[in-house]
Amino acid sequence: MQNIIYRIIGGPAYNKGILAADESSPTIKKRFDSIGVDSTEGTRHSYRHNLFSTDRLEDYIGGVILFDETIRNDETVLPLKEKGICLGIKVDKGAKPYDDNGGKLTEGLDGLPDRLKEYGKLGAEFAKWRAVLSVNDTDACIIANAWTLARYAKKCQDEGIVPIVEPEVIMDGRHSIHTSNEFTQKVLHHVFDALYYEKVELESIILKPNMVLNGYASKTPLPTNFSDAKKTITNSHVVALYTVNCFKKCVPSAVPMIAFLSGGQADGDAVQNLNEMNSSFLTPWPLSFSFGRELQNNSLILWGDGELELSREALLRRAIQCSMATEGELNEFVSV
Protein backbone atom coordinates (compact mmCIF):
# COMPACT_ATOMS: atom_id res chain seq x y z
CA MET A 1 0.00 0.00 0.00
CA GLN A 2 2.86 2.37 0.68
CA ASN A 3 4.00 1.80 -2.91
CA ILE A 4 0.59 3.01 -4.12
CA ILE A 5 0.94 6.23 -2.10
CA TYR A 6 4.47 6.64 -3.45
CA ARG A 7 3.12 6.48 -7.02
CA ILE A 8 0.25 8.85 -6.26
CA ILE A 9 2.55 11.48 -4.80
CA GLY A 10 4.99 11.30 -7.69
CA GLY A 11 7.77 9.04 -6.51
CA PRO A 12 10.97 10.75 -5.38
CA ALA A 13 9.86 14.12 -6.81
CA TYR A 14 6.85 14.34 -4.44
CA ASN A 15 5.19 16.75 -6.86
CA LYS A 16 1.91 15.11 -7.84
CA GLY A 17 -1.55 15.15 -6.32
CA ILE A 18 -5.07 13.81 -6.73
CA LEU A 19 -7.90 14.89 -9.01
CA ALA A 20 -11.22 14.49 -7.20
CA ALA A 21 -13.69 13.50 -9.92
CA ASP A 22 -16.07 11.55 -7.68
CA GLU A 23 -19.07 13.87 -7.84
CA SER A 24 -22.27 12.00 -7.07
CA SER A 25 -25.11 12.17 -9.59
CA PRO A 26 -26.91 15.00 -7.71
CA THR A 27 -23.68 16.99 -7.34
CA ILE A 28 -22.59 16.74 -10.96
CA LYS A 29 -26.14 17.67 -12.00
CA LYS A 30 -25.71 20.95 -10.10
CA ARG A 31 -22.40 21.54 -11.87
CA PHE A 32 -23.94 20.81 -15.27
CA ASP A 33 -26.99 22.97 -14.48
CA SER A 34 -24.61 25.89 -13.90
CA ILE A 35 -23.39 25.64 -17.50
CA GLY A 36 -26.74 24.70 -19.07
CA VAL A 37 -25.96 21.04 -19.82
CA ASP A 38 -28.31 18.15 -19.06
CA SER A 39 -26.81 15.52 -16.78
CA THR A 40 -27.16 12.16 -18.49
CA GLU A 41 -24.99 9.08 -18.51
CA GLY A 42 -23.74 10.17 -21.93
CA THR A 43 -22.85 13.75 -20.98
CA ARG A 44 -21.19 12.61 -17.76
CA HIS A 45 -19.06 10.16 -19.74
CA SER A 46 -18.23 12.81 -22.33
CA TYR A 47 -17.11 15.32 -19.70
CA ARG A 48 -15.05 12.91 -17.66
CA HIS A 49 -13.48 11.21 -20.67
CA ASN A 50 -12.43 14.62 -21.96
CA LEU A 51 -10.79 15.42 -18.60
CA PHE A 52 -9.03 12.09 -18.37
CA SER A 53 -7.74 12.35 -21.95
CA THR A 54 -5.71 15.47 -21.16
CA ASP A 55 -2.24 15.10 -22.61
CA ARG A 56 0.53 14.97 -19.96
CA LEU A 57 -1.98 14.82 -17.10
CA GLU A 58 0.02 11.95 -15.61
CA ASP A 59 3.00 14.29 -15.11
CA TYR A 60 1.10 16.22 -12.43
CA ILE A 61 -1.76 13.97 -11.26
CA GLY A 62 -0.92 10.67 -9.58
CA GLY A 63 -4.43 9.52 -8.74
CA VAL A 64 -8.06 10.21 -9.61
CA ILE A 65 -11.02 9.58 -7.28
CA LEU A 66 -13.96 8.16 -9.21
CA PHE A 67 -17.69 7.66 -8.67
CA ASP A 68 -19.30 4.21 -8.91
CA GLU A 69 -20.77 4.90 -12.37
CA THR A 70 -17.40 6.07 -13.67
CA ILE A 71 -15.19 3.20 -12.57
CA ARG A 72 -17.64 0.72 -14.12
CA ASN A 73 -17.32 2.36 -17.55
CA ASP A 74 -14.20 0.92 -19.16
CA GLU A 75 -14.25 3.52 -21.93
CA THR A 76 -14.36 6.41 -19.47
CA VAL A 77 -11.40 5.28 -17.37
CA LEU A 78 -9.28 3.83 -20.20
CA PRO A 79 -7.23 7.07 -20.63
CA LEU A 80 -6.30 6.97 -16.93
CA LYS A 81 -5.19 3.35 -17.14
CA GLU A 82 -3.13 4.09 -20.25
CA LYS A 83 -1.41 6.97 -18.43
CA GLY A 84 -0.64 4.82 -15.38
CA ILE A 85 -2.69 7.06 -13.08
CA CYS A 86 -3.93 5.28 -9.93
CA LEU A 87 -7.69 4.75 -9.76
CA GLY A 88 -9.54 5.63 -6.57
CA ILE A 89 -13.18 5.18 -5.61
CA LYS A 90 -15.63 6.99 -3.33
CA VAL A 91 -17.11 4.32 -1.05
CA ASP A 92 -19.20 6.23 1.49
CA LYS A 93 -22.98 6.48 1.10
CA GLY A 94 -23.31 10.13 2.03
CA ALA A 95 -23.90 12.04 5.26
CA LYS A 96 -27.25 11.77 7.06
CA PRO A 97 -28.59 13.71 10.11
CA TYR A 98 -26.85 12.51 13.27
CA ASP A 99 -29.27 13.36 16.10
CA ASP A 100 -31.72 15.98 17.36
CA ASN A 101 -28.81 18.26 18.23
CA GLY A 102 -27.76 18.49 14.59
CA GLY A 103 -24.67 17.38 12.75
CA LYS A 104 -24.26 14.63 10.16
CA LEU A 105 -22.81 11.13 10.21
CA THR A 106 -21.51 9.51 7.04
CA GLU A 107 -22.97 6.08 6.27
CA GLY A 108 -21.77 3.11 4.23
CA LEU A 109 -19.98 0.64 6.49
CA ASP A 110 -22.54 -2.11 5.87
CA GLY A 111 -21.27 -4.36 3.10
CA LEU A 112 -18.11 -2.30 2.66
CA PRO A 113 -15.65 -5.25 2.51
CA ASP A 114 -17.56 -6.82 -0.38
CA ARG A 115 -17.74 -3.50 -2.23
CA LEU A 116 -14.01 -3.00 -1.73
CA LYS A 117 -13.29 -6.44 -3.18
CA GLU A 118 -15.41 -5.62 -6.22
CA TYR A 119 -13.80 -2.20 -6.72
CA GLY A 120 -10.37 -3.79 -6.40
CA LYS A 121 -11.23 -6.10 -9.30
CA LEU A 122 -12.28 -3.02 -11.29
CA GLY A 123 -8.84 -1.50 -10.74
CA ALA A 124 -9.27 0.65 -7.64
CA GLU A 125 -6.09 1.01 -5.60
CA PHE A 126 -7.32 3.59 -3.11
CA ALA A 127 -10.65 4.71 -1.67
CA LYS A 128 -12.23 7.81 -0.16
CA TRP A 129 -14.61 8.38 2.73
CA ARG A 130 -15.73 11.91 3.62
CA ALA A 131 -16.94 13.01 7.03
CA VAL A 132 -18.75 16.38 6.97
CA LEU A 133 -18.32 18.44 10.13
CA SER A 134 -19.43 21.91 11.19
CA VAL A 135 -17.86 24.10 13.87
CA ASN A 136 -21.18 23.90 15.75
CA ASP A 137 -21.23 20.08 15.92
CA THR A 138 -21.32 18.35 19.28
CA ASP A 139 -18.45 16.26 20.64
CA ALA A 140 -20.65 13.19 20.23
CA CYS A 141 -21.05 13.89 16.51
CA ILE A 142 -17.31 14.44 16.08
CA ILE A 143 -16.44 11.21 17.88
CA ALA A 144 -19.00 9.20 15.92
CA ASN A 145 -17.54 10.43 12.63
CA ALA A 146 -13.98 9.83 13.81
CA TRP A 147 -14.66 6.21 14.70
CA THR A 148 -16.58 5.62 11.48
CA LEU A 149 -13.61 6.98 9.51
CA ALA A 150 -11.29 4.69 11.45
CA ARG A 151 -13.44 1.60 10.88
CA TYR A 152 -13.62 2.39 7.16
CA ALA A 153 -9.83 2.86 6.99
CA LYS A 154 -9.20 -0.47 8.71
CA LYS A 155 -11.54 -2.30 6.33
CA CYS A 156 -9.72 -0.74 3.36
CA GLN A 157 -6.32 -1.83 4.62
CA ASP A 158 -7.64 -5.33 5.27
CA GLU A 159 -8.46 -5.49 1.54
CA GLY A 160 -5.12 -4.01 0.42
CA ILE A 161 -6.67 -0.68 -0.59
CA VAL A 162 -5.22 2.65 0.57
CA PRO A 163 -7.80 4.70 2.51
CA ILE A 164 -8.14 8.43 2.07
CA VAL A 165 -9.27 9.68 5.47
CA GLU A 166 -11.25 12.88 4.91
CA PRO A 167 -12.51 14.72 8.00
CA GLU A 168 -13.75 17.93 6.37
CA VAL A 169 -14.56 20.86 8.60
CA ILE A 170 -16.73 22.92 6.29
CA MET A 171 -16.13 26.66 6.32
CA ASP A 172 -19.71 27.83 5.79
CA GLY A 173 -20.54 30.38 8.46
CA ARG A 174 -19.33 33.56 10.12
CA HIS A 175 -16.73 32.01 12.43
CA SER A 176 -13.17 33.28 12.60
CA ILE A 177 -9.97 31.51 11.64
CA HIS A 178 -9.32 31.07 15.38
CA THR A 179 -12.54 29.04 15.72
CA SER A 180 -11.64 27.01 12.63
CA ASN A 181 -8.23 26.31 14.14
CA GLU A 182 -9.58 25.13 17.51
CA PHE A 183 -12.30 22.97 15.97
CA THR A 184 -10.01 21.41 13.35
CA GLN A 185 -7.54 20.49 16.10
CA LYS A 186 -10.31 18.82 18.10
CA VAL A 187 -11.47 16.84 15.06
CA LEU A 188 -7.96 15.69 14.16
CA HIS A 189 -7.21 14.61 17.73
CA HIS A 190 -10.34 12.43 17.79
CA VAL A 191 -9.65 11.01 14.32
CA PHE A 192 -6.10 9.90 15.14
CA ASP A 193 -7.23 8.57 18.51
CA ALA A 194 -9.79 6.37 16.71
CA LEU A 195 -7.26 5.31 14.06
CA TYR A 196 -4.91 4.20 16.84
CA TYR A 197 -7.52 2.06 18.59
CA GLU A 198 -8.69 0.52 15.32
CA LYS A 199 -5.04 -0.40 14.64
CA VAL A 200 -4.93 1.45 11.33
CA GLU A 201 -1.42 1.63 9.85
CA LEU A 202 -0.73 5.35 9.59
CA GLU A 203 2.06 4.78 7.06
CA SER A 204 -0.60 3.47 4.65
CA ILE A 205 -3.21 6.23 4.73
CA ILE A 206 -3.68 9.53 2.93
CA LEU A 207 -5.11 12.36 5.03
CA LYS A 208 -7.44 14.68 3.12
CA PRO A 209 -8.31 17.61 5.40
CA ASN A 210 -9.58 21.16 5.13
CA MET A 211 -7.29 24.16 5.29
CA VAL A 212 -7.77 26.43 8.31
CA LEU A 213 -9.70 29.48 7.12
CA ASN A 214 -12.09 32.20 8.17
CA GLY A 215 -15.71 31.17 7.75
CA TYR A 216 -16.80 32.16 4.26
CA ALA A 217 -19.38 34.62 5.67
CA SER A 218 -17.01 36.01 8.31
CA LYS A 219 -16.53 39.76 8.44
CA THR A 220 -13.52 39.44 10.76
CA PRO A 221 -10.28 40.26 8.93
CA LEU A 222 -7.47 37.75 9.09
CA PRO A 223 -4.86 38.60 11.75
CA THR A 224 -1.63 40.18 10.55
CA ASN A 225 0.09 41.17 13.81
CA PHE A 226 2.81 38.52 13.88
CA SER A 227 6.08 39.24 15.66
CA ASP A 228 8.00 37.56 12.83
CA ALA A 229 5.88 39.20 10.16
CA LYS A 230 7.14 40.02 6.73
CA LYS A 231 6.65 43.59 5.56
CA THR A 232 3.57 42.48 3.67
CA ILE A 233 1.41 39.70 5.13
CA THR A 234 -0.84 38.10 2.53
CA ASN A 235 -4.02 36.19 3.27
CA SER A 236 -2.31 33.06 1.91
CA HIS A 237 0.51 33.45 4.42
CA VAL A 238 -1.96 33.70 7.32
CA VAL A 239 -3.88 30.63 6.14
CA ALA A 240 -0.63 28.72 5.65
CA LEU A 241 0.66 29.67 9.11
CA TYR A 242 -2.53 28.64 10.91
CA THR A 243 -2.92 25.45 8.87
CA VAL A 244 0.66 24.23 9.29
CA ASN A 245 0.71 25.02 13.03
CA CYS A 246 -2.63 23.25 13.50
CA PHE A 247 -1.45 20.09 11.77
CA LYS A 248 1.92 20.03 13.50
CA LYS A 249 0.02 19.79 16.80
CA CYS A 250 -2.27 16.96 15.70
CA VAL A 251 -0.96 14.81 12.84
CA PRO A 252 1.71 12.15 13.50
CA SER A 253 4.80 12.30 11.31
CA ALA A 254 4.14 8.69 10.22
CA VAL A 255 1.41 9.93 7.85
CA PRO A 256 3.03 9.80 4.38
CA MET A 257 0.86 12.34 2.56
CA ILE A 258 -1.51 15.19 3.37
CA ALA A 259 -3.64 16.02 0.34
CA PHE A 260 -5.71 19.12 1.07
CA LEU A 261 -9.23 19.58 -0.24
CA SER A 262 -10.17 22.91 -1.77
CA GLY A 263 -13.68 23.14 -0.31
CA GLY A 264 -15.64 26.21 -1.31
CA GLN A 265 -12.66 28.54 -1.64
CA ALA A 266 -12.65 31.09 -4.46
CA ASP A 267 -11.03 29.88 -7.67
CA GLY A 268 -7.26 29.91 -7.33
CA ASP A 269 -7.13 30.46 -3.56
CA ALA A 270 -6.48 26.85 -2.57
CA VAL A 271 -3.47 26.49 -4.85
CA GLN A 272 -2.04 29.79 -3.60
CA ASN A 273 -2.49 28.69 0.01
CA LEU A 274 -0.83 25.33 -0.69
CA ASN A 275 2.09 27.08 -2.37
CA GLU A 276 2.57 29.34 0.65
CA MET A 277 2.63 26.37 3.01
CA ASN A 278 5.37 24.69 1.00
CA SER A 279 7.40 27.84 0.32
CA SER A 280 7.36 29.25 3.84
CA PHE A 281 7.28 26.30 6.24
CA LEU A 282 9.00 22.98 6.87
CA THR A 283 6.73 20.04 7.69
CA PRO A 284 7.26 16.33 8.47
CA TRP A 285 4.87 15.30 5.69
CA PRO A 286 4.57 16.16 2.00
CA LEU A 287 1.76 18.67 1.54
CA SER A 288 -0.13 18.01 -1.67
CA PHE A 289 -3.65 18.38 -3.06
CA SER A 290 -6.84 16.46 -3.70
CA PHE A 291 -8.82 19.13 -5.50
CA GLY A 292 -12.13 18.90 -7.33
CA ARG A 293 -13.50 22.30 -8.28
CA GLU A 294 -10.08 23.96 -7.97
CA LEU A 295 -8.83 21.74 -10.79
CA GLN A 296 -12.02 21.43 -12.82
CA ASN A 297 -13.90 24.73 -12.63
CA ASN A 298 -12.43 26.51 -15.67
CA SER A 299 -12.27 23.26 -17.61
CA LEU A 300 -15.96 22.58 -16.97
CA ILE A 301 -17.03 25.98 -18.33
CA LEU A 302 -15.01 25.54 -21.51
CA TRP A 303 -16.30 22.00 -22.01
CA GLY A 304 -19.86 23.30 -21.68
CA ASP A 305 -19.10 25.77 -24.46
CA GLY A 306 -17.91 22.95 -26.70
CA GLU A 307 -14.24 23.98 -26.44
CA LEU A 308 -12.89 20.48 -25.74
CA GLU A 309 -9.22 21.20 -26.44
CA LEU A 310 -9.28 24.44 -24.46
CA SER A 311 -11.03 22.56 -21.66
CA ARG A 312 -8.18 20.06 -21.48
CA GLU A 313 -5.62 22.88 -21.62
CA ALA A 314 -7.34 24.60 -18.68
CA LEU A 315 -7.16 21.41 -16.63
CA LEU A 316 -3.51 20.89 -17.52
CA ARG A 317 -2.63 24.49 -16.67
CA ARG A 318 -4.21 24.25 -13.22
CA ALA A 319 -2.66 20.80 -12.65
CA ILE A 320 0.77 22.28 -13.40
CA GLN A 321 0.10 25.12 -10.96
CA CYS A 322 -0.94 22.65 -8.26
CA SER A 323 2.18 20.57 -8.89
CA MET A 324 4.37 23.66 -8.63
CA ALA A 325 2.58 24.55 -5.37
CA THR A 326 3.63 21.20 -3.85
CA GLU A 327 7.20 22.47 -4.24
CA GLY A 328 6.46 26.05 -3.20
CA GLU A 329 7.39 27.27 -6.65
CA LEU A 330 4.05 28.42 -8.06
CA ASN A 331 4.14 30.70 -11.07
CA GLU A 332 0.63 31.74 -12.03
CA PHE A 333 1.75 32.33 -15.62
CA VAL A 334 1.90 28.74 -16.81
CA SER A 335 2.27 27.89 -20.48
CA VAL A 336 0.99 24.56 -21.79
Side-chain angles (χ1 to χ4, degrees):
M1 286 182 285
Q2 293 176 28
N3 180 58
I4 295 170
I5 298 173
Y6 189 69
R7 287 165 49 213
I8 290 172
I9 205 168
Y14 280 41
N15 63 350
K16 294 184 185 180
I18 299 169
L19 167 62
D22 59 322
E23 302 92 347
S24 64
S25 296
T27 299
I28 201 165
K29 182 181 185 302
K30 292 178 183 177
R31 305 273 170 84
F32 280 11
D33 285 347
S34 71
I35 57 171
V37 175
D38 290 335
S39 179
T40 66
E41 185 176 354
T43 55
R44 292 191 294 270
H45 160 73
S46 175
Y47 171 62
R48 287 164 170 157
H49 187 269
N50 188 65
L51 284 179
F52 302 159
S53 299
T54 300
D55 187 38
R56 293 163 46 213
L57 186 65
E58 68 275 17
D59 293 341
Y60 312 101
I61 300 295
V64 176
I65 311 172
L66 305 169
F67 189 58
D68 180 83
E69 176 187 75
T70 315
I71 200 170
R72 295 182 186 279
N73 189 323
D74 291 336
E75 186 181 354
T76 307
V77 299
L78 181 60
L80 298 178
K81 292 180 177 180
E82 291 177 340
K83 296 173 187 296
I85 294 175
C86 295
L87 303 187
I89 181 67
K90 168 185 160 68
V91 296
D92 69 68
K93 297 294 184 179
K96 304 295 173 59
Y98 177 61
D99 62 16
D100 293 339
N101 294 316
K104 295 181 178 181
L105 178 63
T106 303
E107 299 181 346
L109 289 178
D110 291 346
L112 180 57
D114 290 337
R115 298 205 312 276
L116 290 169
K117 287 184 177 70
E118 183 181 8
Y119 286 134
K121 292 177 181 177
L122 291 170
E125 296 183 272
F126 67 103
K128 189 201 88 165
W129 182 289
R130 176 177 178 245
V132 185
L133 296 154
S134 164
V135 295
N136 297 315
D137 286 347
T138 63
D139 288 350
C141 182
I142 297 169
I143 293 169
N145 275 285
W147 280 90
T148 304
L149 274 169
R151 292 178 64 198
Y152 138 81
K154 181 61 175 175
K155 291 177 186 296
C156 284
Q157 291 187 347
D158 287 345
E159 300 300 330
I161 289 179
V162 172
I164 289 183
V165 176
E166 181 177 355
E168 179 180 3
V169 179
I170 58 175
M171 294 296 153
D172 296 336
R174 299 181 178 180
H175 55 279
S176 70
I177 194 170
H178 302 289
T179 300
S180 296
N181 180 45
E182 292 175 0
F183 190 83
T184 300
Q185 285 190 44
K186 180 191 288 190
V187 168
L188 290 172
H189 278 304
H190 282 301
V191 167
F192 281 99
D193 188 53
L195 291 171
Y196 170 80
Y197 283 108
E198 285 291 332
K199 294 182 170 56
V200 173
E201 183 181 276
L202 296 185
E203 293 85 352
S204 299
I205 71 167
I206 296 171
L207 180 65
K208 180 176 178 177
N210 55 281
M211 298 178 186
V212 177
L213 311 165
N214 260 353
Y216 294 139
S218 175
K219 296 182 180 180
T220 303
L222 290 172
T224 57
N225 55 333
F226 304 117
S227 59
D228 60 342
K230 303 175 183 178
K231 290 183 178 180
T232 302
I233 296 292
T234 64
N235 285 347
S236 288
H237 186 79
V238 177
V239 169
L241 177 65
Y242 271 79
T243 301
V244 169
N245 285 346
C246 172
F247 282 76
K248 282 184 175 180
K249 293 177 180 178
C250 307
V251 180
S253 60
V255 173
M257 179 180 185
I258 296 180
F260 286 100
L261 57 88
S262 53
Q265 296 183 63
D267 184 55
D269 282 0
V271 66
Q272 291 284 355
N273 293 338
L274 177 62
N275 183 73
E276 189 67 23
M277 290 181 216
N278 282 307
S279 65
S280 297
F281 302 97
L282 295 176
T283 66
W285 346 262
L287 302 181
S288 186
F289 59 92
S290 179
F291 294 158
R293 275 175 289 183
E294 182 79 342
L295 278 162
Q296 295 185 50
N297 191 53
N298 297 328
S299 183
L300 173 66
I301 295 170
L302 290 164
W303 174 81
D305 290 337
E307 300 287 354
L308 303 189
E309 184 176 350
L310 291 178
S311 172
R312 294 191 294 271
E313 288 180 3
L315 173 62
L316 181 63
R317 186 175 295 107
R318 183 51 57 87
I320 294 173
Q321 290 175 333
C322 290
S323 174
M324 295 174 71
T326 66
E327 301 177 287
E329 297 179 353
L330 176 63
N331 177 358
E332 61 181 332
F333 301 105
V334 174
S335 173
V336 299

